[in-house]
Amino acid sequence: MAMKGVIASAVRTLASSGSSASSTTFTRHLHASAGSKKIVGVFYKANEYAELNPNFLGCEERALGIKDWLESQGHKYIVTDDKDGPDCELDKHIPDLHVLISTPFHPAYVTAERIKKAKNLQLLLTAGIGSDHIDLKAAAAAGLTVAEVTGSNVVSVAEDELMRILILVRNFVPGYTQIVNGDWKVAGIAHRAYDLEGKTVGTVGAGRIGKLLLQRLKPFNCHLLYHDRFKIDPELEQQIGAKFEEDLDAMLPKCDVIVINTPLTEKTRGLFDKERIAKCKKGVLIVNNARGAIMDTQAVVDASSSGHIAGYSGDVWNPQPAPKDHPWRYMPNHAMTPHISGTTIDAQLRYAAGVKDMLDRYFKGEDFPAQNYIVKDGKIASQYQ
């Protein structure tokens, strides 16, 4: 239902729970009041790559392609890649911005301290999927709306996961490295290269991305397992041929390949620590395009060094961007990349359009598509609880 006009400030007493703050006073409007708005976008700088593709919208130079549209309506649009440190460009605009747009690929970490300083802030938009760079409890307590473009890059990430599985199973990276280095040692690759067919692949999380991955794995004739809070629709589960595993620790030792597809929450932070990794099959391959903080960083390094993890691939780090001395850069048998899986050009077109649509609705006082809300009316979406 459309929300027209200005929503009056109200005091709401909420039950104390993980999804809301108790006895919280909301003093911010959830939708736009009349007048010009200051909108800040935080994106990575593309430099010389910016002009190579007109649809490269997710960089600072293109800024989702919405600058002319926003300014034509009288709004101020500030774009920067400088988001960290006490004197960063973002912090200069925190006190008077109304809307902050960020991406998971170059996240502007929206802490409780930043929220407290942002007196005019009403709306936090994620250009993509994954809003864990925002302190959601603090956002809920402050009466902010947090939203993302749900579904915008699920195909992109699922395809990337499938690629990474094959890269690890076939021991591709050392073979490529040989060629780059002028070598030719087939035995150095073949001694640990396998077929995917007949292997057991388990996904930790079977939401939109997890389901798409399972569907794409079906033609490879794998044994497919999944662990989630909820079971997949029975008809789809039968079509895919995937088996539900209620107990994560019981699923792990069955898997040759484990794919992480769960959001980062208080419950999943550090989920794969030393003890849980030890429960995995020796020689397991792990793919993680979800969030780096789901893994214990040093535990992954140690298990990769010992060979318990035979290969680790993903594009998510903790923190991001990853510092030059991050140990995952140097551990054996990895196939890591910067955070790229969800920011293909196709995905950028989708999440740029989604952000523009939500801004348009915000200016008109209309609700967003329900599935896009992460925080609304002081409540945090179930997937982040």
Side-chain angles (χ1 to χ4, degrees):
M1 179 181 297
M3 299 177 65
K4 297 181 179 179
V6 176
I7 301 175
S9 299
V11 178
R12 299 178 177 90
T13 301
L14 302 174
S16 180
S17 69
S19 62
S20 58
S22 61
S23 189
T24 302
T25 300
F26 290 88
T27 58
R28 309 192 192 193
H29 303 312
L30 296 181
H31 288 271
S33 52
S36 175
K37 299 298 173 187
K38 182 175 181 178
I39 299 158
V40 175
V42 179
F43 311 100
Y44 53 78
K45 190 181 291 292
N47 298 312
E48 69 271 24
Y49 303 104
E51 298 304 318
L52 297 182
N53 190 328
N55 291 324
F56 188 4
L57 300 181
C59 60
E60 180 190 356
E61 290 84 350
R62 291 283 166 76
L64 302 182
I66 57 176
K67 185 176 179 64
D68 290 345
W69 171 71
L70 285 172
E71 292 181 349
S72 71
Q73 298 192 39
H75 303 297
K76 189 175 183 180
Y77 189 32
I78 307 295
V79 182
T80 183
D81 73 323
D82 185 15
K83 63 187 180 63
D84 298 314
D87 299 317
C88 69
E89 186 68 18
L90 172 60
D91 277 348
K92 296 176 184 177
H93 300 287
I94 287 290
D96 63 345
L97 59 79
H98 297 91
V99 180
L100 176 60
I101 306 169
S102 184
T103 77
F105 319 107
H106 188 71
Y109 293 101
V110 183
T111 61
E113 182 182 7
R114 276 178 165 167
I115 289 173
K116 187 176 181 180
K117 293 177 180 177
K119 302 300 184 182
N120 293 336
L121 182 59
Q122 298 169 337
L123 177 62
L124 292 159
L125 290 178
T126 298
I129 303 173
S131 298
D132 49 88
H133 56 283
I134 299 167
D135 186 326
L136 298 180
K137 283 189 173 181
L144 303 180
T145 297
V146 181
E148 58 188 41
V149 191
T150 298
S152 59
N153 55 19
V154 292
V155 169
S156 313
V157 177
E159 287 185 358
D160 187 273
E161 289 176 343
L162 178 57
M163 175 191 71
R164 291 176 191 275
I165 292 171
L166 289 168
I167 282 173
L168 292 179
V169 169
R170 301 306 293 265
N171 204 23
F172 174 84
V173 172
Y176 171 78
T177 303
Q178 278 192 20
I179 297 305
V180 171
N181 293 336
D183 295 330
W184 188 285
K185 300 175 183 177
V186 174
I189 312 306
H191 78 285
R192 57 195 308 272
Y194 297 87
D195 295 338
L196 182 53
E197 184 174 65
K199 302 301 184 292
T200 298
V201 182
T203 175
V204 182
R208 291 177 174 87
I209 296 170
K211 284 197 283 283
L212 286 175
L213 175 65
L214 291 171
Q215 289 174 309
R216 282 155 176 74
L217 284 168
K218 179 177 171 58
F220 286 87
N221 297 320
C222 304
H223 304 293
L224 301 177
L225 307 176
Y226 72 96
H227 168 78
D228 199 282
R229 296 178 301 152
F230 307 108
K231 293 190 68 174
I232 294 174
D233 176 76
E235 184 177 348
L236 179 60
E237 185 182 71
Q238 186 175 12
Q239 289 174 0
I240 297 172
K243 180 184 176 185
F244 175 67
E245 293 279 344
E246 185 173 4
D247 186 339
L248 174 60
D249 290 333
M251 182 184 83
L252 296 179
K254 302 174 185 178
C255 297
D256 301 296
V257 180
I258 295 168
V259 186
I260 312 300
N261 275 312
T262 186
L264 176 62
T265 67
E266 290 182 2
K267 293 179 181 178
T268 64
R269 185 177 296 274
L271 179 65
F272 278 78
D273 55 13
K274 179 180 179 180
E275 290 73 24
R276 182 153 277 115
I277 290 173
K279 295 177 182 179
C280 299
K281 181 184 295 187
K282 181 174 173 55
V284 67
L285 304 175
I286 298 179
V287 171
N288 179 16
N289 283 355
R291 287 295 182 266
I294 294 171
M295 317 298 291
D296 180 296
T297 298
Q298 191 59 45
V300 171
V301 173
D302 293 342
S304 296
S305 299
S306 71
H308 193 89
I309 295 177
Y312 185 91
S313 184
D315 70 339
V316 287
W317 306 70
N318 183 31
Q320 290 189 181
K324 290 184 178 181
D325 62 351
H326 196 292
W328 285 1
R329 292 181 183 266
Y330 311 105
M331 64 186 179
N333 302 319
H334 80 76
M336 295 296 296
T337 64
H339 195 171
I340 56 171
S341 63
T343 188
T344 62
I345 295 299
D346 302 283
Q348 290 178 44
L349 290 169
R350 290 189 291 264
Y351 63 67
V355 168
K356 183 178 180 181
D357 174 70
M358 286 192 288
L359 285 173
D360 188 49
R361 291 169 184 255
Y362 163 72
F363 298 140
K364 294 175 180 176
E366 298 176 356
D367 272 353
F368 305 150
Q371 68 271 17
N372 286 11
Y373 283 106
I374 303 303
V375 176
K376 182 184 182 185
D377 296 331
K379 296 181 180 179
I380 301 174
S382 62
Q383 66 266 34
Y384 280 97
Q385 295 178 24

